[in-house]
Amino acid sequence: MTRAETTRAETTRAETTRAERPAGPLLLGVRHHGPGSARAVRAALDAARPQAVLVEGPPEADALLPLAADERMRPPVALLAHAVDDPGQAAFWPLAAFSPEWIAIRWALEHGVPVRFIDLPAANSLAMTQGNGEGHEDGGAEEDEGADGEEGAEGPAARAPIDPIGVLARTAGYDDPERWWEDVVEHRTRDGEAVDPRAPFAALAEAMTALREVYGDGGHPRDAVREAHMRIQLRKAGKEFGDDIAVVCGAWHVPALGARTTLTADRALLKGLPKVKAELTWVPWSHRRLARHSGYGAGIDSPGWYGHLFDAPDRPIERWMTKVAGLMRDEDRFVSSAHVIEAVRLAETLAAMRGRPLAGLGETTDAIRAVMCEGSDVPLALVQDRLIVGEALGEVPDTAPAVPLQRDLTRQQRTLRLRPEAQERELELDLRKDNDAARSRLLHRLRILAVGWGEPAAGRASTGTFRESWRLRWEPELYVQVAEAGTWGTTVLSAATAKAGAQAASATALAEVTALAEQCLLAELPDALPVVMRALADRAALDSDVGRLADALPALARTLRYGDVRSTDTAALAGVAAGLAERICVGLPPACTGLDADGAAELRGRVDAVHTAIGLLTGAAPANPGPATDTSTETGTDADTDTGTDTGTNADTSTDANADTSTNADTDTSTNANANANADTDTDTDTDTDTGTGTGTNADTGGLRGRWTAVLHKVAARDTVAGVIRGRATRLLLDEGRLAEDDAARLMGLALSPGTPPADAAEWIEGFVGGAAGGGMLLVHDERLLGLVDAWLTGVPADRFADVLPLLRRTFSAYEAGVRRTLGELVRRGPSAGGPAATGTGAGAGAPAPGFGQGLDEARADAVEPVLRLLLGLHNDPGPDGDARSGRAGRAANVEEPLGATG
């Protein structure tokens, strides 16, 4: 048959169809996002050839309809409407490739037929939603409502809205509405017989008419207003095109559109509706967003499956199983062609046993679980996420209207090769590279603007500050967030700068301003930083609460640390950070007293954070020791008389138990430069009483690090301080080498003495060895401390044991299984012959514990070191004699002073 003959046949068939169909517009009631409805709409439009097509949607979007024919427009997409004065007040009308409305729009544009939207204007629907105080949890009130009458933008009605598809399914004896819809619509076949393309719409309209006679508006009171507006638009189109028009709308509305009403009555329903100025545009949508039921009532559970049913030309089950097999193979799972064949056979068998015309999603899922997943739901979850829901993210052409901020963001995304994706992904950035540094700045600026595209994530372990890890996922709601952020500026840089300045002016808490200062440095906002710094200085000068100061200091310390990599001048922050640290050192000891359990646990976390921050600030914050006058008389190189052993940095161990009195002792790099109370007298401008024990280390308090060490000594020695804080201070001093092991054992012995209440002792243990980082290994390698804990625990009275058990369980449950097993073996074996003290490292150490040697075997250690270096990727540095450095010399060269809290 020639092309001319084909055209004449189609024209004759269309004229015959027009003559046969009843008078009035062709009402095509559909289910939104239904591939069966989409195929039926296309068949009906091909048969009817209407002169105009009317679609349910906001009329303001008529000017955007030609963009649907653009080759760069790829569904899923959505119409986004937002109020001009309040961009956060927004609504979406999503359309997928298998949506009947999208098929109708594309058919009209391809055939040169006028197409229009006829639903209630977005200006009215947005105002009505705002007036009712209703919104959506993610900031976008998704305005459209399902063809089956499900919830729209108005939110839950006073009456529970009915699900028409669910009612029809229950009437037909189905317990699953989706399965009923698949059987009667999606899996409907012709079996070689000619079928009237209008027949399914007539049957669905009849069913909806019966439902509306029983349920009325079905719990959707706003439907009356919307349907009145649609009838008015139908009358206008009828005057222009006659009855030769097709209307594509939700099947729930078909009875109302076919009802006989007067124009006056319909206008009366629309009189006095609120109205706002609205703007509309096309935005990309995603299958993942289509699967959500919140807000948008026409959400479907399996958009990927429905898209497959719509696109598959034939043999949909075989093609689906092939997709699943490809996914499994990409994930390194063994799936052969035999698995595919058996899965198809099982799905068809299940469909026959269940009386279904074709295997549906339930049958295919059961077959995949049994054949390809070996009965496991773990790989099946991957199929659910990647295929059944899908990862499709639509695209819109650049010619689509957009706020200036969105255009600037799109330009930067392309320049930085940072493509928005619906699937969550990890992004590793090396800030030494220009492109990665620019990506980091963009993501941090978007965080300031509350555009949640990326969130910082814990990346691979690295001690440097040049690496960043991000977790990215682009959601359609972000377009609303970008529109809201557009009120601050037309570019990402200007908008972030303006918002940061406004936040600094309105912030009331010191921690808020310090966090904002950190964000400004990360986002590289030089114009906003002076404003934030002024606000920071003002808040820091007025705030005297130690808790708030402790919350603020870590952010400043991190900010100072970032300056090295990002080439940012952070000198202005150094003075503020040093001032905060000084005030914390003064106010922390009094703040540690009189706390309940929750307050003590919270302050313990702050002590850890401050300890880490001061470790970062060492060398960055000014020491400001103040003038000191040394009146001691020294003879020779060293005038101190010491009989102890130095165990810390710039520290003396004196035989006199008297405490030193000094705030800022002289800083000296000599071995024994500190003044002892029994030999010298130091007179400083600022005085303070160091309550650390005389037999311990008198820490060098010259500088910020020394003053913090003195504070930890005070906290560890005060009985009025909560046990968890005292234990934590002792542990921090021990880890830093500022407290001798003998002194740590003595403090533990005091804390676990019989006179200490068991609950207080358990808190001390939690502070000292609690947490997963290092606490258990400390007990494993120091059997003396383990013996003290064991002796205390066995001595707890039976009536008090139940009180301390929760604390102990919380403490030791954080250890790794291997650590707990080793501790159990040590406790089962019991103490060594010399008792707990005999296994110590201090004076008087006796016989070693069973299974342990007298000391370190240097020869065996040296033999293992080259292998460890090879495994760790470390190069053996040649020593002075040309050989690789090893043994004690090599180990000494790698000794580093520990910084920061250990957990």
Side-chain angles (χ1 to χ4, degrees):
M1 183 180 293
T2 64
R3 180 177 300 178
E5 292 174 342
T6 302
T7 303
R8 283 195 300 270
E10 291 179 352
T11 303
T12 303
R13 184 168 59 252
E15 292 175 351
T16 303
T17 303
R18 292 194 193 99
E20 293 177 352
R21 77 183 185 194
L26 177 61
L27 300 179
L28 304 178
V30 300
R31 186 190 189 194
H32 295 304
H33 315 314
S37 294
R39 287 192 298 267
V41 164
R42 183 160 54 192
L45 292 177
D46 286 337
R49 299 280 174 167
Q51 298 299 309
V53 176
L54 306 181
V55 180
E56 181 183 339
E60 298 98 327
D62 285 348
L64 302 176
L65 285 172
L67 290 174
D70 195 304
E71 61 181 8
R72 293 168 295 178
M73 178 79 83
R74 297 180 182 178
V77 294
L79 285 169
L80 165 63
H82 65 85
V84 175
D85 297 333
D86 182 13
Q89 191 68 27
F92 295 97
W93 286 262
L95 298 171
F98 50 84
S99 297
E101 297 89 345
W102 179 259
I103 296 300
I105 292 171
R106 290 298 301 263
W107 185 93
L109 294 175
E110 292 170 0
H111 292 80
V113 174
V115 56
R116 298 172 185 173
F117 286 122
I118 60 171
D119 203 350
L120 189 68
N124 297 119
S125 58
L126 289 175
M128 293 170 68
T129 303
Q130 184 178 22
N132 292 335
E134 298 164 354
H136 190 265
E137 60 183 0
D138 58 14
E142 299 182 8
E143 191 67 23
D144 200 7
E145 52 81 47
D148 44 2
E150 295 170 308
E151 180 187 349
E154 68 271 11
R159 291 177 295 148
I162 70 164
D163 177 8
I165 301 299
V167 174
L168 294 175
R170 289 192 297 271
T171 304
Y174 283 74
D175 57 358
D176 184 2
E178 291 294 330
R179 189 159 60 92
W180 176 81
W181 182 263
E182 284 188 346
D183 286 351
V184 301
V185 178
E186 306 302 340
H187 299 164
R188 184 168 47 87
T189 58
R190 297 189 177 187
D191 295 331
E193 299 179 2
V195 178
D196 184 358
R198 295 171 298 176
F201 299 105
L204 196 56
E206 182 179 357
M208 292 299 167
T209 301
L211 287 177
R212 297 207 67 163
E213 289 176 354
V214 176
Y215 295 100
D217 61 15
H220 302 282
R222 274 181 52 185
D223 280 356
V225 178
R226 298 177 56 206
E227 290 160 355
H229 188 273
M230 293 184 194
R231 287 192 293 267
I232 292 175
Q233 298 303 312
L234 277 176
R235 293 187 182 98
K236 291 181 179 179
K239 292 180 179 179
E240 184 176 356
F241 302 104
D243 289 338
D244 193 12
I245 57 178
V247 181
V248 180
C249 64
W252 180 254
H253 303 299
V254 170
L257 298 186
R260 294 184 176 274
T261 61
T262 63
L263 180 60
T264 303
D266 288 340
R267 286 177 175 174
L269 289 173
L270 300 175
K271 186 177 181 180
L273 290 180
K275 189 176 183 180
V276 297
K277 186 177 181 181
E279 291 182 349
L280 282 83
T281 186
W282 288 107
V283 296
W285 204 249
S286 68
H287 276 180
R288 194 178 305 277
R289 192 63 184 85
L290 280 173
R292 297 184 188 174
H293 285 274
S294 60
Y296 185 60
I300 54 178
D301 294 325
S302 50
W305 167 254
Y306 275 8
H308 169 77
L309 291 180
F310 183 75
D311 295 333
D314 55 12
R315 306 172 70 89
I317 305 305
E318 290 84 347
R319 295 177 184 273
W320 178 255
M321 293 301 182
T322 304
K323 283 185 179 180
V324 174
L327 174 63
M328 293 292 188
R329 290 166 183 165
D330 291 341
E331 297 297 325
D332 295 330
R333 293 187 64 88
F334 177 73
V335 177
S336 66
S337 56
H339 286 87
V340 176
I341 295 171
E342 291 302 321
V344 172
R345 289 175 177 173
L346 179 56
E348 293 175 345
T349 302
L350 289 174
M353 293 176 62
R354 296 171 181 175
R356 307 196 65 180
L358 184 68
L361 181 59
E363 287 71 32
T364 56
T365 301
D366 290 342
I368 292 168
R369 179 190 291 109
V371 177
M372 299 186 187
C373 301
E374 299 177 349
S376 173
D377 286 335
V378 176
L380 190 64
L382 184 67
V383 178
Q384 170 72 27
D385 185 64
R386 299 281 186 87
L387 294 181
I388 296 177
V389 174
E391 302 170 344
L393 180 65
E395 297 181 9
V396 298
D398 296 336
T399 53
V403 295
L405 181 63
Q406 179 64 60
R407 294 192 180 279
D408 180 64
L409 174 58
T410 302
R411 179 187 60 79
Q412 293 193 51
Q413 288 172 336
R414 291 177 178 173
T415 302
L416 301 176
R417 299 186 298 278
L418 207 55
R419 180 184 176 88
E421 296 179 0
Q423 181 184 0
E424 184 177 286
R425 65 187 180 102
E426 297 284 345
L427 178 66
E428 294 284 344
L429 298 180
D430 185 345
L431 302 181
R432 296 169 296 183
K433 300 178 181 178
D434 292 340
N435 191 68
D436 282 1
R439 288 177 170 182
S440 174
R441 288 193 296 268
L442 174 62
L443 294 173
H444 281 293
R445 289 169 182 174
L446 291 177
R447 290 196 72 204
I448 293 177
L449 294 173
V451 178
W453 180 19
E455 290 294 331
R460 57 182 178 180
S462 174
T463 58
T465 60
F466 58 85
R467 294 192 183 278
E468 276 187 355
S469 297
W470 290 83
R471 186 176 294 108
L472 304 181
R473 171 182 283 181
W474 186 267
E475 297 281 5
E477 293 86 349
L478 296 180
Y479 290 102
V480 178
Q481 297 175 9
V482 173
E484 289 183 277
T487 59
W488 294 103
T490 57
T491 65
V492 176
L493 175 60
S494 63
T497 300
K499 186 172 183 179
Q503 287 180 334
S506 61
T508 56
L510 179 61
E512 295 178 11
V513 187
T514 54
L516 184 61
E518 181 182 14
Q519 288 179 327
C520 288
L521 285 170
L522 296 174
E524 197 171 309
L525 302 178
D527 294 337
L529 194 57
V531 179
V532 176
M533 290 305 304
R534 286 194 296 270
L536 177 59
D538 294 343
R539 302 294 189 282
L542 297 176
D543 205 327
S544 59
D545 184 86
V546 174
R548 289 194 292 266
L549 295 175
D551 290 337
L553 183 61
L556 289 180
R558 290 192 301 268
T559 300
L560 288 170
R561 190 182 186 195
Y562 289 138
D564 297 335
V565 177
R566 298 174 184 272
S567 303
T568 306
D569 185 11
T570 57
L573 287 176
V576 177
L580 287 180
E582 295 282 0
R583 295 169 66 187
I584 292 172
C585 290
V586 173
L588 182 62
C592 292
T593 60
L595 298 174
D596 58 9
D598 293 337
E602 182 178 359
L603 189 56
R604 172 201 169 177
R606 287 170 172 166
V607 169
D608 281 342
V610 171
H611 185 76
T612 303
I614 289 180
L616 296 177
L617 289 174
T618 302
N624 191 23
T629 304
D630 191 351
T631 60
S632 62
T633 304
E634 298 187 5
T635 303
T637 356
D638 194 342
D640 293 339
T641 304
D642 297 326
T643 60
T645 303
D646 291 338
T647 58
T649 306
N650 294 330
D652 292 339
T653 303
S654 174
T655 57
D656 192 341
N658 297 330
D660 289 345
T661 303
S662 114
T663 295
N664 299 315
D666 297 338
T667 302
D668 196 325
T669 58
S670 64
T671 306
N672 292 315
N674 292 333
N676 295 311
N678 62 331
D680 300 326
T681 303
D682 281 357
T683 304
D684 292 344
T685 305
D686 299 320
T687 61
D688 190 22
T689 302
D690 186 353
T691 59
T693 58
T695 56
T697 57
N698 285 332
D700 176 16
T701 56
L704 180 60
R705 187 64 170 272
R707 284 190 290 280
W708 175 247
T709 301
V711 170
L712 292 179
H713 274 291
K714 296 175 187 178
V715 171
R718 286 187 178 179
D719 293 338
T720 56
V721 176
V724 67
I725 300 178
R726 284 188 288 119
R728 192 59 186 158
T730 304
R731 173 68 185 282
L732 293 176
L733 289 170
L734 180 64
D735 289 346
E736 288 285 322
R738 304 297 177 117
L739 185 69
E741 293 182 359
D742 291 339
D743 293 327
R746 190 181 64 82
L747 288 175
M748 175 179 278
L750 292 174
L752 305 183
S753 62
T756 304
D760 294 344
E763 290 180 357
W764 196 96
I765 292 177
E766 182 182 7
F768 187 73
V769 295
M777 296 303 298
L778 181 65
L779 295 179
V780 168
H781 292 291
D782 195 332
E783 196 169 344
R784 175 180 45 180
L785 299 181
L786 178 60
L788 290 172
V789 175
D790 184 45
W792 165 79
L793 186 59
T794 56
V796 175
D799 58 336
R800 305 296 300 275
F801 184 77
D803 298 334
V804 301
L805 182 58
L807 289 173
L808 295 175
R809 172 172 287 179
R810 182 172 61 190
T811 300
F812 291 95
S813 63
Y815 298 162
E816 296 180 358
V819 174
R820 294 199 301 268
R821 183 170 56 252
T822 303
L823 289 175
E825 290 293 329
L826 292 175
V827 173
R828 182 185 60 81
R829 187 183 63 199
S832 60
T839 62
T841 58
F852 292 86
Q854 291 286 350
L856 178 65
D857 190 334
E858 299 288 349
R860 296 179 66 183
D862 292 344
V864 172
E865 184 175 359
V867 179
L868 291 177
R869 287 182 173 275
L870 181 62
L871 293 175
L872 297 176
L874 302 176
H875 298 288
N876 293 333
D877 300 329
D881 55 354
D883 297 331
R885 182 188 300 173
S886 63
R888 284 173 290 177
R891 287 191 293 275
N894 291 326
V895 172
E896 295 181 359
E897 181 181 3
L899 291 178
T902 59

